[in-house]
Amino acid sequence: MDGRWLMIVLRLVHILGGLFWVGSAAILTWFLFPAQRAAGAGGGSVMQEIMGRRRLGMWMGIAAVATLLSGFALYGRNAALSNGSWPSSPTGIGYGIGALAALLGLGLGMGIGGPMGRRLQRLGATLGASAGPPDQSVVREMARLQRRSTLVMRLAVVLLLVAAATMATARYW
């Protein structure tokens, strides 16, 4: 594959993967998770379908990794073509800031938010399987995890939006 087509493919993977990753994270964080909490038990079954059976989390992870790998390849290629001067240019600095924000967002989302989300799913399944009244210690633990998860995910989405904004505008810096 010649250099031009390689750049086109890398940019398509980077942009389309980033759109899916950031868009999914924003919709989950600002719309679906709050709607789930407001809907009560019915909301939990919808989220189990989305995250469990449809595996949205896995697809977001794949999009995140594809976005980051293609971004690193694009960054490295531009650095190599400029004999190392491009990363210190205003455009290169802008893309570097975007990459750092994306990495931090990924770390928060997958490293902290992901395990909390899986714990919430397990606790929700425990509550759903019980025949009697819900165990109040489990309900309290779920509420605590939901508050922490909401904070972490909002911060991760803000970082991803910073990444998207800097990447969208860096070539004009």
Side-chain angles (χ1 to χ4, degrees), residues 95-106 159 163 167:
Y95 284 121
I97 291 168
L100 180 60
L103 286 169
L104 290 171
L106 177 69
L159 286 166
M167 301 253 176

Side-chain angles (χ1 to χ4, degrees), residues 25 29-30 34 37 108 147-161:
T29 300
W30 287 322
R37 284 190 291 279
L108 281 174
R147 285 190 303 274
R148 288 182 66 204
S149 177
T150 297
L151 177 64
V152 166
M153 295 311 292
R154 284 180 181 166
L155 183 56
V157 169
V158 167
L159 286 166
L160 294 178
L161 290 172

